[in-house]
Amino acid sequence: YHGRGAVVAAVIHSPGSALEPLFDPSTWRLSLLFIHSSGWGSARDVRLSRRALRFSCAFPVIHLDECESTQDVAWDCEPGTFVVADRQTRGRGRGAGREWVSPPGGLYMSWRLGVVEPTGLTLLGGLAVLRALRKWGAEAWLKWPNDCWVGQKKIAGVLADCRWSGSRCSGLVLGMGVNVQVKEPPEGAVSLHQLCRQAPDVAEFGELLRAQLRELLKVHEKMGVSGYLSELRSHSLPPGSKIAYWLGGQRSEDEVADLDGQGYLLLRSGLRLTAVDRLQVL
Ligand code: BTN
């Protein structure tokens, strides 16, 4: 495999099939095509041979027409790789069994990271999405911990899957789903193209988002959440807003007080402040 800027002509062999990476220097887009004995297959066959994706490249963005979930594909890639799919057949949302409906027109992207401090990474993903949306004029805000909303409608969500080795995070996949050009977003959701006159195409938005993610990760590696906490606060629900959550199997509602130094949400009930675990918020 020849790296950045070069014409890619190498064939990567894997048991039973071969992959032809096609690199388009004008868009910096890398797609994978399978070569079967019967001829060319398509990148959506990727699940037949996911192991074949375990390779490094100088510009690690892997683009697929379709896959079940980019979260799963990303685990088989080298740290640093982004996996992007035009559509997902089993996209996952936060929380057990939640689906992320993934029609064409959305950005479905997962970023494989290696050993990393996981605290705050969901927020980092959300902030990167907010920055990218705001560059296109959408007044997006963060519904802690992983939703991006514009007004009262959801436009994007973030999902962090972590692997542990004892108490240490040995790897993480940070997934983002953004309604960029989705023509008919689900009820309660909105798409960027409905909000701005000249919305970017999905590839352009993806590039911008990757730049934001890389920039924020550098800050995270040096300073953790504290490096971007004030920006998070300024785009989150203001203190005093009501928020619903589950506690002990019951739905409760309290007032937002603040984000603590690690990015956990602090709720006020009476004189008491409680830090809410991210899985409890509705
Ligand atoms: C949520 O708001 O519940 C999180 C949604 C995360 C969706 C993204 S799309 C890319 C990646 N692949 C998945 O299956 N899920 C995440």
Side-chain angles (χ1 to χ4, degrees):
Y1 174 70
H2 305 278
R4 194 180 279 245
V7 175
V8 175
V11 173
I12 299 164
H13 290 282
S14 66
S17 67
L19 279 170
E20 174 85 8
L22 294 179
F23 182 66
D24 176 351
S26 62
T27 58
W28 289 73
R29 183 167 153 160
L30 180 71
S31 356
L32 297 174
L33 287 178
F34 282 83
I35 308 166
H36 300 294
S37 47
S38 53
W40 292 98
S42 93
R44 78 175 65 102
D45 292 331
V46 72
R47 64 183 171 281
L48 298 176
S49 183
R50 288 218 329 243
R51 296 280 146 205
L53 289 173
R54 197 181 280 281
F55 68 94
S56 317
C57 60
F59 189 74
V61 181
I62 291 178
H63 187 273
L64 306 170
D65 292 347
E66 183 180 289
C67 65
E68 290 193 349
S69 164
T70 53
Q71 293 293 100
D72 300 334
V73 179
W75 280 120
D76 283 335
C77 298
E78 291 296 321
T81 307
F82 288 92
V83 177
V84 181
D86 290 344
R87 50 193 182 271
Q88 300 181 111
T89 53
R90 294 181 75 167
R92 291 200 301 274
R94 178 177 68 99
R98 287 237 186 117
E99 187 192 1
W100 183 260
V101 181
S102 312
L107 175 70
Y108 312 111
M109 180 164 85
S110 296
W111 191 16
R112 169 76 156 98
L113 297 172
V115 175
V116 70
E117 169 52 58
T119 307
L121 274 181
T122 305
L123 297 170
L124 181 155
L127 185 57
V129 174
L130 286 186
R131 282 184 178 182
L133 289 168
R134 285 176 165 261
K135 284 204 193 272
W136 287 95
E139 293 281 310
W141 58 279
L142 184 79
K143 181 165 181 286
W144 192 93
N146 71 319
D147 283 359
C148 298
W149 288 51
V150 176
Q152 290 308 304
K153 294 198 165 175
K154 179 162 171 166
I155 189 162
V158 178
L159 179 67
D161 290 333
C162 195
R163 281 186 184 162
W164 298 91
S165 162
S167 59
R168 185 165 165 265
C169 166
S170 57
L172 190 137
V173 170
L174 191 60
M176 284 133 287
V178 188
N179 299 330
V180 182
Q181 288 281 354
V182 173
K183 296 297 170 240
E184 288 177 23
E187 210 187 317
V190 69
S191 189
L192 190 54
H193 90 100
Q194 297 173 314
L195 299 169
C196 58
R197 229 182 267 153
Q198 286 205 310
D201 65 24
V202 180
E204 193 178 0
F205 188 87
E207 240 165 70
L208 181 60
L209 179 54
R210 287 190 290 278
Q212 297 302 328
L213 286 164
R214 289 191 183 106
E215 197 177 307
L216 280 166
L217 185 66
K218 279 190 207 145
V219 177
H220 183 87
E221 282 169 347
K222 273 198 206 132
M223 306 169 69
V225 185
S226 64
Y228 45 92
L229 192 58
S230 62
E231 194 179 345
L232 277 173
R233 282 189 174 124
S234 68
H235 297 320
S236 297
L237 277 179
S241 317
K242 293 277 184 204
I243 194 158
Y245 62 97
W246 285 107
L247 192 62
Q250 281 197 328
R251 188 181 190 277
S252 306
E253 202 175 85
D254 271 321
E255 269 184 15
V256 171
D258 199 359
L259 295 179
D260 75 6
Q262 295 204 302
Y264 289 106
L265 182 67
L266 293 174
L267 295 181
R268 187 187 310 283
S269 63
L271 290 176
R272 204 161 45 92
L273 285 185
T274 317
V276 186
D277 182 272
R278 65 199 178 92
L279 289 174
Q280 294 174 321
V281 173
L282 292 179

